[in-house]
Amino acid sequence: MSSLKGRSVVLGVTGSIASYKAADIASKLNQAGALVDVILTPAAQEFVSSLTFRSLTHRPVVTDMLDADSELAVEHVALAERADVVLIAPATANTIAKLAYGFVDDAITATVLATTAPVVIAPAMDAKMYQSAVTNENIKRLEDRGYLFVGPGVGNLASGLTGPGRLVDTADILNAISDSVSSTKDLEGLRIVVSAGGTEEAIDPVRHITNRSSGKQGYGIAQAARDRGAEVTLISAPTALAPVDGVNMVNVTSARTMLDAVQDACEGADALVMAAAVADWEPAEFAQQKMKKVKGQDRLVLELKKTPDILFEVRNEALIKVGFAAESEDLIANATDKLQNKNLDFIVANDITASDAGFNVDTNRVVILDKSGGREDLPLLLKEKVGDHILDRIKLIKAEANK
Ligand SMILES: Cc1cc2nc3c(=O)[nH]c(=O)nc-3n(C[C@H](O)[C@H](O)[C@H](O)COP(=O)(O)O)c2cc1C
């Protein structure tokens, strides 16, 4: 189930007697490392409590699209945008019918209508309801539009009947959504180099200068590119993160070692995404021995010199170059300068003073500026999802270049 790690799954729960089983689904998704956002229809809330799902997912649960305090009130399609997959389990005959005809009167139907992510539906209902001509037509309509159905299973139903209508097992549902998120391999054949983490510039054998970059954004991009079939080299300065499976990991420490690794990896590569926080300055001299405290000395002046500018140094004319600008003030002006000075295809700018974006959190809110003057403000997204936006642009630039 590694394909669900770091993925955003929206779980819509509707008003079925099988609603309680959705708690197990939410729990297993959470254990698989997915970020789970649960939406309950008003009918579902008669069967199960939002507290259960909030406790299992450690995230707010959406119970009312028009609730002024909910994330959806500000941006009612926020979950649709963030989702890697939308799962409706259990799905009632009523919700299936509404989806088949495009009704949007609750947060589940709004999210499904607004998403471009795969939608997986696990129906649960009485056998007669399932076998009715109208339900069959509705399911067919949705299947024809690309919605994926898993189940229902056959067996004893709450109504006392035996027949089709049971919600399928959690394992089958997880397999179905895992298949659906890993099926797009649109970057096959592309070689993408990603840098991540904060470099360490040594002062003496035990001390270094570094910064607060966690590496999460770069790792998220590498993961997203791998999942979409690209050949990925991840050049990582030290981080607390586990290596990403299925990519070429290159561990480095300083700006200089990162430069060498990036230059090597960029030979023949299609794109370089410099998400690493590379030090601008390094100690002018490396002290061979640990610097000692000197009695009576209250101050120490450390002389610094400029580190190499990696994006500028890399020489590969065909390379698509993407920079990052993490700024605490004048975000757009500073990012625009960097975009132009380093001759980048586009730059991803983020304001590091926001508590839900920037360093050491799983989400980011970025603005993308491109070399032809375009600007795109993305909403708050998981870092992998920011990665997908970056990769979509790389794919587009590559396609234009190949025309
Ligand atoms: C006890 C009980 C169990 C129900 N179970 C189901 C069910 O399993 N499947 C279904 O389609 N409808 C079931 N219903 C009917 C739905 O709750 C009803 O159609 C509701 O409007 C669904 O709303 P929703 O789709 O917005 O959640 C049940 C109703 C009751 C009272």
Side-chain angles (χ1 to χ4, degrees), residues 326-343:
E327 304 288 345
S328 57
E329 58 181 354
D330 299 331
L331 180 68
I332 301 302
N334 286 329
T336 308
D337 271 359
K338 206 167 166 184
L339 171 74
Q340 289 163 353
N341 294 342
K342 299 187 186 222
N343 197 18

Side-chain angles (χ1 to χ4, degrees), residues 47-114:
F47 291 86
V48 285
S49 121
S50 62
L51 182 62
T52 305
F53 292 96
R54 203 167 67 218
S55 311
L56 289 169
T57 62
H58 314 290
R59 295 183 60 73
V61 170
V62 178
T63 51
D64 181 359
M65 183 170 56
L66 303 178
D67 172 4
D69 295 331
S70 114
E71 189 182 350
L72 288 194
V74 185
E75 210 170 339
H76 70 288
V77 293
L79 290 182
E81 167 70 25
R82 183 189 307 161
D84 289 303
V85 58
V86 178
L87 165 68
I88 308 178
T92 55
N94 175 58
T95 291
I96 289 172
K98 288 196 296 184
L99 290 175
Y101 285 89
F103 284 91
V104 177
D105 63 353
D106 60 30
I108 294 182
T109 45
T111 302
V112 170
L113 208 66

Side-chain angles (χ1 to χ4, degrees), residues 248-316:
N248 311 313
M249 285 289 308
V250 181
N251 293 310
V252 298
T253 49
S254 63
R256 285 177 192 281
T257 52
M258 182 168 277
L259 171 66
D260 291 343
V262 168
Q263 272 176 328
D264 274 358
C266 281
E267 261 176 56
D270 297 287
L272 166 63
V273 184
M274 278 297 293
V278 182
D280 293 328
W281 303 96
E282 62 184 347
E285 299 290 340
F286 170 71
Q288 298 294 336
Q289 305 301 330
K290 182 182 167 192
M291 290 162 70
K292 293 281 184 202
K293 266 196 276 188
V294 177
K295 215 171 175 191
Q297 184 188 1
D298 290 337
R299 289 183 177 218
L300 172 75
V301 176
L302 192 63
E303 197 185 347
L304 303 176
K305 64 175 195 256
K306 258 192 163 165
T307 55
D309 182 338
I310 299 180
L311 272 166
F312 190 76
E313 298 272 335
V314 172
R315 299 265 173 258
N316 169 349

Side-chain angles (χ1 to χ4, degrees), residues 124-154:
M125 64 196 74
D126 168 74
K128 290 266 181 351
M129 285 169 85
Y130 177 68
Q131 285 164 330
S132 74
V134 66
T135 299
N136 267 276
E137 273 171 35
N138 291 338
I139 291 177
K140 168 94 179 35
R141 241 179 126 83
L142 291 171
E143 278 178 336
D144 289 347
R145 295 215 188 91
Y147 292 69
L148 304 159
F149 278 79
V150 49
V154 179

Side-chain angles (χ1 to χ4, degrees), residues 9-14 22 37-41 44 86-91 108:
V9 179
V10 174
L11 169 60
V13 182
T14 66
D37 284 295
V38 176
I39 307 176
L40 301 178
T41 63
V86 178
L87 165 68
I88 308 178
I108 294 182

